Amino acid sequence: MPPRPLEPLAKKLMKGVIVAELLGVFGVYGLFHMMNNSQDFRNIMNKRFPSILEVYYKSNEWAGVYGIRERDHEVWSAKQE
């Protein structure tokens, strides 16, 4: 039985979806890694995308890591004075 004409297209689309998902996962991990290692980057995220920074804080608090938000606010308010 010869393959249907849509099967190659479906395979290509599925591969594209998988690649897009992998890029998304690695991109989110890279963003988390940068926020986890750099307080200056978190300050930039606070100014540009505060909702993303809030998700970072919440995920750390959910994982049992507390105090990052408070330390950031202390340092940032000391820099403004």
Side-chain angles (χ1 to χ4, degrees):
M1 177 179 250
R4 295 184 186 142
L6 291 179
E7 285 183 10
L9 178 63
K11 286 182 181 180
K12 287 181 182 178
L13 285 174
M14 191 61 171
K15 286 180 185 178
V17 167
I18 291 172
V19 167
E21 286 184 2
L22 285 173
L23 288 174
V25 166
F26 286 118
V28 168
Y29 175 75
L31 182 64
F32 178 82
H33 183 71
M34 289 178 68
M35 283 195 289
N36 206 33
N37 290 328
S38 174
Q39 192 174 49
D40 291 332
F41 185 72
R42 286 194 301 268
N43 192 15
I44 292 169
M45 292 301 288
N46 186 41
K47 292 176 183 173
R48 294 184 184 168
F49 306 106
S51 60
I52 294 175
L53 185 62
E54 184 64 26
V55 170
Y56 167 77
Y57 288 143
K58 292 281 186 185
S59 65
N60 275 316
E61 290 168 357
W62 181 77
V65 180
Y66 299 99
I68 297 173
R69 180 192 317 254
E70 291 79 13
R71 273 184 273 135
D72 285 347
H73 288 293
E74 286 175 11
V75 170
W76 297 338
S77 62
K79 283 183 181 180
Q80 289 177 354
E81 294 174 4

